[in-house]
Amino acid sequence: MRPPSRELFRDADFPASDSSLFSSFSTPLAQFREDITWRRPQELCAAPRLFADDPQEGQVKQGLLGDCWLLCACAALQKSQHLLEQVIPPGQPGWRDPAYRGSFTCRVWQFGRWVEVTIDDRLPCLAGRLCFSRCQREDVFWLPLLEKVYAKVYGSYECLWAGQVADALVDLTGGLAERWSLKDEARTGGRQDGPGGSEHRTCRRLLRLKDRCLISCSVLSPRAGARESGEFHAFIVSDVRELRGRAGQGLLLLRIRNPWGRRCWRGPWREGGEGWSLVDPADEAALLSQLREGEFWVEEAEFLQEFDEVTVGFPVTEAGHLQSLYSEKELCHTQELPGAWVKGQSAGGCRNNSGFPSNPKFWLRVSEPSEVYVAVLQRPRVCTAGRAGRTRAPVTGDRAPWGPARLLSKDYQAVGLHIWKVEKRRVSLPRVLSSPPVAGTVCHAYAREVHLRCELSPGYYLAVPSTFLKDVPGHFLLRVFSSGRVSLSAVKTAAPSAASGEAQPAGEWETVQLRGSWRAGRTAGGSRNFASYPCNPCFPLAVPEGAGPRCIRITLRQHCRDSECHPIGFHVFQVPDGGSLGAAQLLLQDPLLSCVPHCHTQEVSRLCHLSAGTYRIVPSTYLPDTEGAFTVTIATRIDRRSIHSQERLGQLLQEASFMAVMKT
């Protein structure tokens, strides 16, 4: 045990207080506000463990928090040791280890990268027991600790109330997940056309995937069999079995686990139900003996009738590559690029809008016949910074039903994706985009991520992600997973100034160049979507008094080869009179003007007219910790009416240059 003099870690960023539990007090969790206490595992049991020796003892159980969607995804880690070690790094000191300090670190995949999140091990409790998630054995703590990490990423435990299993699967694997609706299949008796063809019914596909994937099923509205499970509840499909009935008929049974940890099913295949009369007593005994707490069996027709959708996570190999759900091919070639829909520039809306060609566009080059998945992952529409430095969608204070549909309609735009094949990269975009695409989403979906599966021949393809409505801003990550070699690049467009018709006026210009660099962990803060943004280099600019606003062109050029460009952009902030705000505070305000979205190009530029005053120019890459060197060029149109005016302008700009170099 630890020496009594050794102080245990207390996480100041996610303290043991109401601020970590609640965001709006609008969920049923609020009624327990006065009763929740925080305790460390060694205060809850004599010998706490991170993992159980028997996997059954580490099975997930849901508590008072409505996060069944997250817990179902956490069960995926129990099917794969390398995924588990990716999320919970091994070798961390346990409670009996002399090096134990009361902290644990997990990794969560966030918008293109794995983020390490450290917490203390104080956990919310009621009456001396864990009140949120726990394992089957209550002396096993991997699950409640991971749940706390996820709550820190999202901002509070209450922010985990309701969500999509698919989103949590992506966050815990860095891969993809698919949602299959069961409603149409139930109406057609199991016959369904899909990516795998009409002969691949959902339950038959689950039979093939059960050992490789995490499979979850959801009830979106209560019905006869599920009336005690409530609406918007997610379950785990723990097994799928095919057997022969007494009359020789084929039967497909699915074993379902309720994260609540109790058997609440009232269907014909419950223990003692009439469904078992159709099978041999030996099969009945064998299947019932496999049931653990919270599990039950259902037959295929009952499954299709009682559940609304299935979520399947793509298998991830030990090398970290995804496997196709349909062909089992290894998708070992991956590419990703960030993008943005900017109002008035690149938020063109769906194909019904005349502005559709202005949407962000990407070249996808396929080098060999390939099975390709192209995905658009969007950020929540309304984000605030969470305690962990991440961005999260805040939970609003209304009391509408808590469910996935509610969250999606508030936090995400309806997005879609279309792909065209082109003969060469120099094409007429209006002509291409007016022709039928080779692949496209059926509709624009209110989902965090949408993706397409395509069988593509070698050549060039144009991928266009879009929102349904025009002029709706947002940021996204375009991801490509392929069985064959592919490359991805952004279609280069003119700088915003040129696109808006801002030609550089004639006349004499005085130019000053400021050099700087982005360094990982120091000055590579990334875009304004990240809490580290104020770490970016900050260049002062002074505009002297004159007859009116000065015409200035600001240009940011990164020093790299064209094929190695990072997405870059910049913002200009105006310093208030008196300079009362510090640099970090100033950069949290809205910029006066911007050169975004961040573009994969060597140079971006913006022509502007600035009134007399003091400004700050902040160049950035899109993602944090992206290293590179750059030059900021400030070209100011000279007013020749007074030689003295020219000298003053040159002097002030040179002073600004000197100050900027000193600061970086």
Side-chain angles (χ1 to χ4, degrees), residues 22 380 382 456 597:
F22 305 102
V382 181
L456 299 182

Side-chain angles (χ1 to χ4, degrees), residues 453-483:
R453 174 186 179 269
C454 316
E455 295 283 352
L456 299 182
S457 57
Y460 282 102
Y461 294 84
L462 186 68
V464 183
S466 62
T467 57
F468 181 74
L469 298 175
K470 186 180 178 181
D471 284 336
V472 174
H475 289 83
F476 63 86
L477 185 69
L478 189 73
R479 303 198 287 160
V480 177
F481 302 87
S482 175
S483 61

Side-chain angles (χ1 to χ4, degrees), residues 393-407:
V395 179
T396 54
D398 61 273
R399 296 188 178 269
W402 284 91
R406 175 183 182 275
L407 288 183

Side-chain angles (χ1 to χ4, degrees), residues 396-418:
T396 54
D398 61 273
R399 296 188 178 269
W402 284 91
R406 175 183 182 275
L407 288 183
L408 293 176
S409 65
K410 288 183 175 292
D411 300 336
Y412 301 113
Q413 288 296 336
V415 296
L417 173 66
H418 294 83

Side-chain angles (χ1 to χ4, degrees), residues 80 82-83 173-176 212 313-323:
S80 170
H82 69 274
L83 278 182
T173 67
L176 292 173
R212 299 191 297 126
F314 280 54
V316 182
T317 68
E318 292 194 13
H321 301 144
L322 298 191
Q323 278 187 303

Side-chain angles (χ1 to χ4, degrees), residues 337 360-363 425 429 461-463 489-494 600:
L337 285 177
K361 294 169 285 292
F362 298 83
W363 290 121
R425 289 182 62 166
L429 286 179
Y461 294 84
L462 186 68
S489 61
V491 174
K492 295 181 179 180
T493 57
H600 277 83

